[in-house]
Amino acid sequence: MNTITQTNRTILFEEINPEKLNLLTLVGDVRGVNSVSDDKIKEINDALLVRSFDEFLEKFEPVVYSYFDANNQKVIYTLKKPENIEDELLSEIHLNRQNDYLKMLMTLVEAKRAEGSINVDFKFEKLTDMISPKKVMDDIRQNRKELQYTYSEYAKLEDGDPKKLDTADKLNLMFEEASVNYNNVMAMLPLAIEDIKTRLLLGDGQTKKDEAPLSLGVLSMDEHGELKILEAPKENKKELMVLDDNANAGLIQAIEKDYMDLNEDGNEYVKSLVARTFCPLASTMESVVDIEKEVSNYNSYLEFYKRSKDDFIKTVKPLVEKIMGVWAFFEQYPRNCKGMRPSMVISNVSNDMLAKSSNIPRLLAYLNTVNAKNDFENTIWYAIVPSVSLNSSSKLKAVRQRFQGNENVEKEDVNSVESLVRILDALKDYEVQCFFSYETGDKTTFNIMATEGIEKYETKCAQLIGKPFSEYAIPCIPNFTVIPKDKSGVILDNRMYVTEQNTAALSKEKEDIMKIWIDGVYIGAAYVAAGLVAAYQSPDYLKEVFKKNVDEQLPGVRFDIESGDHALQVRTTMAKEITGYTNDIKSDINRKNFGFVFSSENAVLKDLNIQNIMVYKARNLLTDGKSYEPIYKTQVTTYIQRVMRLATGDFKQENIVEFFSSKPTSQRSRWMEKKDYINAIIGNGDDIRYSIDETAGYCTLDIAFNGNVKNLEIEINRVNNEDRTF
């Protein structure tokens, strides 16, 4: 750790925001050179390196663009900024922690983790309604409480009072946040929907049994002691209105003025809606209500909101799954744990673009700069390639559509196997282990693998086996489910109708329930696998998990998560999804020892019921014909080679002899002294030997892992008596 300070920097090969800089652009033209400058690496880190999810959101600002099509009266959403549409006609929807959709997904994962329920038992609908107008309005209500309180404090203070100036700063910020809603018609729709319900139904209208018009009253006793509800006196109502007006007039004027200042074409209806939303009064805001018109508005708002939300969710799904993947990567490392925190470089360019023959030299120049030096601060150890195409060659026979079935839409946002192969071929020369997973959906989940097993994944990986890069290719299965496809319905609200008594009521007919389907949200297994392996590289993380027997100076490169009860202790932060795999499926996995496999099993550790998904196998695609190699062997070999290169002055022969000598100060001796630690470089049952072929000029390392030997051949840097290289 004194020489290599991190062993977990990861590069994500995905495009997040096309408007931001990407790796290809930053590296630039590399014709005639094989590396880039230190200044260029700093520029790349400033633009593409993130050390937390919040820094990721800040640097990449994931965004969806929307505009209106007047011909078909629709909102159009796109992930790429349209070049032929003027900026003033475009709206940006930022996917950050304040976005209701993303907030709902993260809340759902955290709630499921806390509850420990499997997918079949978890009440997804309790949280998916966070994107309904009612829940959006709940957030607004909380904001307006804070706004009203702050304004009342501001109004009490004298002009010139320093505290009033401080309070004014807070108000300015609150108005800025509120204006994000009322400066955007789409953002106002859920507010308008709830506003009409509030005014016409005094709530959601579900508790009202009859359809008679409402007349507010007061509870009293008559002269015989009988309880009666009498119509409220008109003069009391008027007096109440005046009091309300006096208390909030200033805030109403400020909100209305702010709306009109921001909207030159603003109208009285929206201005009143804004005022009612952010500063509701008793009844002074009310005039004679046109019931039929308001009901018609409500239904058209709801229809438009449903269509727009549906289109938005379909468009944004690929980007949201990428964002949730980055979130899951960083979630594997405890927030309160310091030490070797995982970091991520994001290429921000599509893999098909990166894998072009004209662009691969730029990737190689970058890797040659950060991975082929004796400065390991920027070294890349892992890569993530999610959403690799399954692209089954077998097609179902076309049949006549007698009933409406699934539309076979080819996914556009997947990575081709060809681009994966080209990237793997580049990564192997720089000892970068690549975690990849297949495209997300309901066909690559725990549920499917529990019934079908891993055969289809092994078949898909056949073309990656027996290749020079196989040792660095790590297929991760299965993918994680945030919301299952069949439980992803969201009820927005019910249509409204006018009763015979000329009052408004919500319809209870099934066809009048406005509902959208999210169609499932998933996280690629590669994100979680890389995140967990990056986490246990940190000795601080291992110390927090195991408490003792951890060396604080050694990384977790030799940590074997398949050994003993390691998988029970070093678990993912993702909640269990199913009750487990059948014995037949587990026997098949154990027999083949294939891939980085997650399990959702019932398990107990020291009387503690495990409620998290665990690692079952952690293997790459290097095989001896019987089983696949554990991933830790590759990283230990890489780590030893890098430490050795630095300590021996780029593999000078006499320094290699010193490196492996029996002296207590030699590197081998120091490692052997710590073989009993959980994160030992050379563990119990391991050994490391070397032999030098002076004629050929090579040193061969034999690294034995519990008797299984892995060979590494290194070219010697030989010097003559004058210490000159020849």
Side-chain angles (χ1 to χ4, degrees):
M1 287 288 287
N2 293 330
T3 55
I4 297 182
T5 57
Q6 61 88 11
T7 58
N8 58 2
R9 180 158 296 178
T10 306
I11 185 168
L12 169 62
F13 292 110
E14 271 292 20
E15 184 178 56
I16 303 297
N17 186 344
E19 296 301 306
K20 298 289 183 179
L21 292 168
N22 61 49
L23 188 64
L24 292 178
T25 303
L26 286 165
V27 170
D29 188 3
V30 294
R31 284 176 291 189
V33 298
N34 64 0
S35 64
V36 298
S37 68
D38 290 346
D39 287 339
K40 181 60 68 176
I41 293 299
K42 184 180 184 304
E43 186 182 0
I44 290 171
N45 288 345
D46 288 343
L48 307 181
L49 175 66
V50 296
R51 292 180 173 84
S52 69
F53 179 65
D54 287 323
E55 187 179 4
F56 160 74
L57 292 177
E58 182 183 340
K59 278 192 176 181
F60 287 90
E61 296 183 295
V63 66
V64 182
Y65 300 93
S66 69
Y67 57 93
F68 299 98
D69 185 343
N71 289 331
N72 59 19
Q73 295 291 298
K74 284 186 66 177
V75 185
I76 309 298
Y77 296 97
T78 175
L79 298 179
K80 295 187 183 296
K81 187 175 183 179
E83 296 180 356
N84 57 342
I85 296 178
E86 298 175 9
D87 286 349
E88 54 265 29
L89 297 178
L90 273 180
S91 293
E92 294 183 357
I93 303 169
H94 291 276
L95 297 174
N96 51 33
R97 287 189 182 273
Q98 284 69 51
N99 178 265
D100 60 345
Y101 185 42
L102 199 61
K103 184 164 53 176
M104 178 266 289
L105 295 176
M106 290 189 289
T107 301
L108 199 152
V109 174
E110 290 171 345
K112 191 166 178 288
R113 178 196 306 162
E115 188 175 306
S117 298
I118 59 175
N119 289 349
V120 73
D121 295 329
F122 188 72
K123 304 298 182 184
F124 289 92
E125 66 276 7
K126 297 291 185 183
L127 290 169
T128 53
D129 75 341
M130 284 177 66
I131 60 175
S132 68
K134 181 180 178 181
K135 294 297 183 181
V136 172
M137 194 62 196
D138 284 345
D139 288 341
I140 296 293
R141 287 191 181 99
Q142 178 58 35
N143 291 339
R144 81 184 181 196
K145 282 180 183 177
E146 296 172 11
L147 180 63
Q148 286 177 302
Y149 171 77
T150 306
Y151 185 83
S152 66
E153 291 296 303
Y154 170 81
K156 292 176 188 175
L157 298 168
E158 295 181 15
D159 290 343
D161 187 334
K163 188 175 181 182
K164 187 165 188 172
L165 300 178
D166 292 340
T167 309
D169 289 339
K170 291 181 183 178
L171 273 176
N172 286 331
L173 185 60
M174 288 179 168
F175 268 71
E176 188 66 32
E177 291 173 349
S179 69
V180 172
N181 288 295
Y182 62 70
N183 196 33
N184 183 330
V185 175
M186 274 304 298
M188 289 300 295
L189 272 182
L191 310 185
I193 290 167
E194 284 301 304
D195 172 71
I196 294 175
K197 280 177 64 178
T198 300
R199 289 184 294 119
L200 298 189
L201 305 174
L202 290 186
D204 63 7
Q206 299 299 317
T207 58
K208 200 174 171 212
K209 301 298 183 185
D210 56 61
E211 297 177 349
L214 178 67
S215 178
L216 292 177
V218 293
L219 183 65
S220 67
M221 288 184 182
D222 66 12
E223 56 190 16
H224 302 293
E226 186 177 347
L227 285 175
K228 288 185 179 294
I229 297 177
L230 304 177
E231 186 175 349
K234 300 297 183 183
E235 51 275 4
N236 289 350
K237 186 176 180 183
K238 184 177 180 182
E239 188 177 336
L240 180 64
M241 289 161 40
V242 173
L243 288 173
D244 282 336
D245 283 351
N246 291 337
N248 294 283
L251 181 57
I252 293 171
Q253 290 176 1
I255 290 174
E256 290 180 341
K257 182 179 184 303
D258 193 51
Y259 166 75
M260 295 305 294
D261 287 346
L262 291 171
N263 295 273
E264 293 180 3
D265 300 325
N267 60 62
E268 288 296 319
Y269 181 88
V270 180
K271 184 176 77 171
S272 297
L273 172 60
V274 169
R276 287 195 301 271
T277 300
F278 291 96
C279 187
L281 298 178
S283 46
T284 50
M285 300 293 294
E286 298 290 341
S287 56
V288 177
V289 177
D290 185 339
I291 300 292
E292 287 193 7
K293 182 61 178 175
E294 292 285 8
V295 169
S296 175
N297 284 344
Y298 172 88
N299 288 332
S300 65
Y301 294 164
L302 196 57
E303 289 273 2
F304 195 85
Y305 185 73
K306 176 190 178 302
R307 281 200 316 271
S308 301
K309 204 71 175 178
D310 204 27
D311 292 342
F312 169 78
I313 285 172
K314 285 182 172 61
T315 301
V316 81
K317 182 180 175 180
L319 178 56
V320 161
E321 290 188 339
K322 293 175 189 177
I323 295 170
M324 289 298 293
V326 175
W327 180 73
F329 173 87
F330 285 110
E331 278 289 292
Q332 304 315 306
Y333 198 80
R335 292 181 179 86
N336 61 344
C337 191
K338 301 191 184 298
M340 193 200 299
R341 297 191 66 86
S343 57
M344 178 184 282
V345 174
I346 298 172
S347 69
N348 200 35
V349 64
S350 71
N351 286 341
D352 286 343
M353 175 64 74
L354 185 67
K356 287 182 177 179
S357 58
S358 57
N359 290 330
I360 279 290
R362 301 190 187 192
L363 174 62
L364 294 175
Y366 171 72
L367 292 173
N368 198 44
T369 307
V370 296
N371 276 38
K373 291 182 177 180
N374 288 341
D375 177 11
F376 303 101
E377 182 183 351
N378 295 304
T379 300
I380 302 292
W381 294 81
Y382 308 127
I384 300 174
V385 179
S387 202
V388 176
S389 174
L390 276 170
N391 193 22
S392 178
S393 57
S394 61
K395 300 290 183 183
L396 288 174
K397 183 180 178 181
V399 295
R400 184 181 175 188
Q401 285 276 356
R402 294 167 175 82
F403 306 96
Q404 184 176 353
N406 290 307
E407 293 183 25
N408 293 318
V409 180
E410 187 174 344
K411 280 192 170 185
E412 295 181 1
D413 214 62
V414 295
N415 295 308
S416 67
V417 176
E418 291 73 22
S419 67
L420 172 65
V421 168
R422 190 68 188 93
I423 288 171
L424 283 170
D425 193 50
L427 295 177
K428 77 177 191 308
D429 295 328
Y430 299 95
E431 293 88 25
V432 179
Q433 293 178 283
C434 181
F435 296 84
F436 68 92
S437 51
Y438 287 98
E439 61 189 84
T440 54
D442 61 339
K443 304 301 182 187
T444 55
T445 62
F446 281 87
N447 264 327
I448 297 299
M449 202 167 98
T451 56
E452 296 182 358
I454 63 170
E455 185 177 351
K456 74 175 178 182
Y457 296 108
E458 196 171 13
T459 301
K460 294 297 178 187
C461 288
Q463 60 186 299
L464 308 177
I465 298 171
K467 300 293 193 297
F469 54 71
S470 298
E471 182 180 359
Y472 299 96
I474 306 171
C476 306
I477 54 177
N479 291 325
F480 292 77
T481 301
V482 179
I483 304 176
K485 182 178 180 180
D486 59 347
K487 293 192 175 186
S488 63
V490 181
I491 295 176
L492 298 177
D493 219 317
N494 300 48
R495 285 191 180 90
M496 195 181 288
Y497 67 97
V498 181
T499 69
E500 293 179 358
Q501 288 78 19
N502 198 35
T503 62
L506 293 179
S507 172
K508 296 181 181 179
E509 299 298 324
K510 187 177 180 180
E511 60 269 20
D512 287 333
I513 298 173
M514 304 297 280
K515 189 173 186 177
I516 59 174
W517 290 90
I518 296 175
D519 201 30
V521 177
Y522 307 89
I523 294 174
Y527 289 104
V528 182
L532 187 64
V533 176
Y536 69 62
Q537 293 304 306
S538 168
D540 294 72
Y541 173 86
L542 294 174
K543 186 81 172 176
E544 183 168 302
V545 173
F546 292 98
K547 309 302 180 189
K548 57 183 181 179
N549 206 29
V550 174
D551 188 282
E552 296 179 0
Q553 297 301 314
L554 295 177
V557 293
R558 173 60 179 84
F559 180 76
D560 180 8
I561 199 165
E562 291 185 35
S563 176
D565 64 0
H566 287 176
L568 295 175
Q569 303 214 56
V570 176
R571 308 181 294 272
T572 74
T573 59
M574 313 300 286
K576 283 198 311 182
E577 297 194 14
I578 60 174
T579 54
Y581 303 134
T582 65
N583 291 332
D584 288 343
I585 297 294
K586 284 190 282 191
S587 295
D588 192 37
I589 295 172
N590 287 326
R591 185 169 55 253
K592 295 174 179 176
N593 279 325
F594 164 83
F596 198 109
V597 182
F598 290 103
S599 72
S600 176
E601 297 284 319
N602 292 321
V604 177
L605 175 67
K606 298 176 183 176
D607 298 326
L608 174 68
N609 288 322
I610 305 301
Q611 297 182 329
N612 300 73
I613 287 173
M614 300 173 291
V615 176
Y616 197 63
K617 297 291 176 185
R619 308 292 177 110
N620 57 40
L621 292 181
L622 181 63
T623 179
D624 58 4
K626 297 178 181 178
S627 66
Y628 296 88
E629 185 162 276
I631 64 170
Y632 75 86
K633 292 186 178 181
T634 300
Q635 187 156 6
V636 171
T637 305
T638 300
Y639 179 80
I640 290 174
Q641 180 182 358
R642 285 174 177 165
V643 172
M644 189 175 165
R645 185 174 70 194
L646 178 63
T648 62
D650 294 323
F651 308 120
K652 291 178 181 175
Q653 182 173 333
E654 66 273 22
N655 292 344
I656 292 175
V657 174
E658 179 67 22
F659 189 91
F660 290 104
S661 75
S662 58
K663 295 178 182 178
T665 55
S666 74
Q667 184 63 69
R668 180 181 179 278
S669 296
R670 294 203 302 271
W671 281 340
M672 294 297 286
E673 285 177 2
K674 298 182 177 183
K675 64 181 180 179
D676 293 324
Y677 287 103
I678 288 171
N679 57 333
I681 304 301
I682 302 173
N684 275 315
D686 295 352
D687 199 1
I688 181 169
R689 302 289 178 187
Y690 78 101
S691 60
I692 293 177
D693 185 338
E694 294 191 12
T695 304
Y698 280 92
C699 172
T700 301
L701 296 184
D702 295 323
I703 307 172
F705 299 101
N706 290 316
N708 296 316
V709 179
K710 187 174 180 65
N711 304 115
L712 177 65
E713 205 171 61
I714 297 169
E715 186 175 2
I716 298 171
N717 179 7
R718 294 181 293 185
V719 295
N720 63 12
N721 292 335
E722 286 78 32
D723 287 344
R724 290 176 298 171
T725 304
F726 64 89

